[in-house]
């Protein structure tokens, strides 16, 4: 099917990947022009794989070293170079949609996930350094991240709230966004600060793969996502939101993340076809995007409310799966996984830097 069908439904398709080769070969431009891709997300794992598994960054690393850049500063230079080029490709979409779509994302250091003050400072610093209007700064929706989200929105920094897993976590993140917007309104500032709330889907099913009854296999992620979608629509129809909208605010869009299928026995487009809904975003890895183009289809748009979905969630509870406890565990595990990827990324940059420095000394005067 054509990915245009999702666009026509009102859902944005973003690519959950970035590499220098995607930019250099024109592949990302082709995805935009031919497959209706209208944004891009990144995270430490994506950059770790891109830099570790390619020589495409070697010249830039060597150049950064010659300028005295190392470690995190060197990585940010590499990441911002990629993201700035990607943002330029998406800029016509950003302008055509009046700032609703056409974003790229950069994550604050995962080491700050539980440090509110440092996260606020880093979000402001990264956005100022990038000088890119269609860049979202990613802040995790951890308990410590929520006040940072509020402060960043109040400061006018567009935010991608990441690592959300449940309706309760979404509501907490949405409330942080709303508080930031309402403070801007009270202060006489323009309240049209962009934001998305990223709900991780497939990790639910991975987490319970060994204990879910066969009839419930690969169904929890979509069930939870439907629950979140209902909470999302509740907020958009609330008097609180309508007051902010009347003052010039723009909605925080819901984004489906982790939508690549992890179970080889399940359809490779499972989470994309099931989560088609207007005024949402689905960010996906390249393999999933290609699968959608080849054989994907929209089952039916997500309903406003789904009584059968509540019955399905009740079946998981009866099977001994406590979704509230699991949501907290998944968020904590996700934060730890990004820290591991970040540390690995820093080690890769350090290793490549050492190799170039040794080579420079061997061939120096």
């Amino acid at each position: 099917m054509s990915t245009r069908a999702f666009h026509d439904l009102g859902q944005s398709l973003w690519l959950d990947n970035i590499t220098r080769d995607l930019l250099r070969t024109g592949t990302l431009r082709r995805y935009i022009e031919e497959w209706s891709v209208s944004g891009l997300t990144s995270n430490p794992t994506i950059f770790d794989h891109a830099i570790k598994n390619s020589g495409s960054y070697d010249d830039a690393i060597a150049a950064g070293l010659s300028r005295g850049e190392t470690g995190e500063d060197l990585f940010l230079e590499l990441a911002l170079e990629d993201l700035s080029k990607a943002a330029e490709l998406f800029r016509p979409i950003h302008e055509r949609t009046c700032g609703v779509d056409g974003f790229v994302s950069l994550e604050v250091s995962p080491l700050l996930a539980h440090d509110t003050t440092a996260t606020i400072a880093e979000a402001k610093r990264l956005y100022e350094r990038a000088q890119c209007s269609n860049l979202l700064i990613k802040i995790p929706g951890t308990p410590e991240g929520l006040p940072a989200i509020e402060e960043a929105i109040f400061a006018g920094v567009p935010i991608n709230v990441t690592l959300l897993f449940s309706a309760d976590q979404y509501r907490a993140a949405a409330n942080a966004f709303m508080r930031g917007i309402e403070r801007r309104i009270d202060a006489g500032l323009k309240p049209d600060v962009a934001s998305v709330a990223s709900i991780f889907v497939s990790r639910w099913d991975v987490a319970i793969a060994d204990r879910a009854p066969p009839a419930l296999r690969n169904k929890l992620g979509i069930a939870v996502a439907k629950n979140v979608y209902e909470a999302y629509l509740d907020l958009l129809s609330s008097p609180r939101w309508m007051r902010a909208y009347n003052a010039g605010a723009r909605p925080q869009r819901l984004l489906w993340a982790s939508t690549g299928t992890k179970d080889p026995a399940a359809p490779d487009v499972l989470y994309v076809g099931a989560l088609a809904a207007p005024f949402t975003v689905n960010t996906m890895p390249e393999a999933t995007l290609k699968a959608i183009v080849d054989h994907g289809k929209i089952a039916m748009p997500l309903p406003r409310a789904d009584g059968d979905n509540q019955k399905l969630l009740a079946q998981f509870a009866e099977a001994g799966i406590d979704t509230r406890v699991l949501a907290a565990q998944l968020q904590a595990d996700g934060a730890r996984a990004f820290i591991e990827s970040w540390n690995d990324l820093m080690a890769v940059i350090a290793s490549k830097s050492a190799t170039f420095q040794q080579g420079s000394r061997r061939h120096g005067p």
Side-chain angles (χ1 to χ4, degrees):
M1 69 170 289
S2 169
T3 47
R4 181 78 190 184
F6 292 87
H7 178 274
D8 292 344
L9 177 68
Q11 183 176 63
S12 299
L13 297 186
W14 289 6
L15 181 68
D16 190 29
N17 191 30
I18 187 167
T19 68
R20 198 143 289 190
D21 288 341
L22 271 175
L23 297 164
R24 285 178 174 169
T25 61
T27 301
L28 180 58
R29 182 184 295 275
R30 181 168 62 85
Y31 290 165
I32 294 169
E33 294 174 350
E34 299 179 10
W35 292 354
S36 302
V37 170
S38 58
L40 178 148
T41 49
S42 70
N43 59 47
T45 304
I46 286 171
F47 275 113
D48 179 33
H49 291 167
I51 296 172
K52 179 167 54 180
N53 299 324
S54 168
S56 300
Y57 294 85
D58 291 356
D59 289 346
I61 292 173
L65 290 170
S66 69
R67 295 190 298 267
E69 296 168 353
T70 58
E72 184 175 327
D73 284 340
L74 178 52
F75 160 68
L76 288 175
E77 192 66 29
L78 300 175
L80 287 173
E81 184 178 347
D82 280 2
L83 290 170
S84 295
K85 290 177 180 177
E88 201 57 38
L89 292 175
F90 289 115
R91 194 171 304 282
I93 296 172
H94 189 65
E95 293 174 352
R96 186 170 65 247
T97 60
C98 299
V100 172
D101 207 352
F103 286 97
V104 300
S105 295
L106 174 66
E107 190 152 358
V108 298
S109 167
L111 302 180
L112 307 179
H114 302 292
D115 187 331
T116 300
T117 302
T119 296
I120 295 168
E122 183 69 353
K124 293 178 181 178
R125 183 180 79 87
L126 291 177
Y127 189 61
E128 178 65 25
R129 178 172 174 176
Q131 292 293 299
C132 182
S133 61
N134 55 331
L135 173 70
L136 296 169
I137 302 299
K138 295 177 79 171
I139 297 178
T142 56
E144 298 85 355
L146 295 175
I149 292 161
E150 176 184 340
E151 289 297 327
I153 292 293
F154 177 61
V157 178
I159 296 298
N160 177 341
V161 183
T162 187
L163 285 181
L164 300 175
F165 289 88
S166 67
D168 286 343
Q169 290 176 1
Y170 161 72
R171 291 188 191 96
N175 281 330
F177 165 76
M178 287 298 300
R179 287 192 298 270
I181 291 296
E182 289 162 346
R183 287 172 58 193
R184 287 186 67 85
I185 293 170
D186 292 342
L189 301 170
K190 289 183 66 175
D192 58 340
V193 183
S195 182
V196 296
S198 297
I199 312 300
F200 285 53
V201 183
S202 67
R203 296 189 188 185
W204 283 97
D205 295 316
V206 172
I208 64 163
D210 295 335
R211 52 194 177 108
L216 298 179
R217 191 171 179 82
N218 293 316
K219 292 184 178 180
L220 182 55
I222 292 171
V224 171
K226 288 181 177 181
N227 218 30
V228 175
Y229 183 64
E230 189 170 347
Y232 174 58
L233 295 183
D234 284 345
L235 175 62
L236 292 182
S237 62
S238 69
R240 182 186 186 188
W241 166 247
M242 291 178 185
R243 286 192 295 271
Y245 185 63
N246 196 59
R250 64 179 48 182
Q252 179 189 53
R253 286 201 294 170
L254 192 62
L255 180 150
W256 308 122
S258 186
T259 55
T261 305
K262 307 301 189 293
D263 183 354
D268 53 4
V269 295
L270 174 66
Y271 301 106
V272 180
L275 298 177
F279 205 57
T280 64
V281 180
N282 195 319
T283 187
M284 62 191 73
E286 275 187 275
T288 304
L289 175 65
K290 292 175 180 177
I292 285 291
V293 172
D294 182 63
H295 54 266
K297 63 180 181 179
I298 300 173
M300 60 184 300
L302 282 179
R304 172 68 177 79
D306 188 346
D308 290 338
N309 192 57
Q310 297 307 314
K311 295 176 183 176
L312 180 59
L313 288 170
Q315 292 178 38
F316 281 103
E318 291 168 3
I321 297 168
D322 188 327
T323 54
R324 188 181 297 269
V325 171
L326 185 53
Q329 177 188 323
L330 287 169
Q331 189 177 72
D333 290 347
R336 280 193 294 270
F338 278 158
I339 288 173
E340 291 172 4
S341 290
W342 180 265
N343 289 335
D344 190 40
L345 171 61
M346 291 300 107
V348 167
I349 290 176
S351 175
K352 289 200 171 194
S353 297
T355 299
F356 293 138
Q357 287 168 335
Q358 289 169 3
S360 176
R361 284 194 294 269
R362 282 198 302 269
H363 296 94

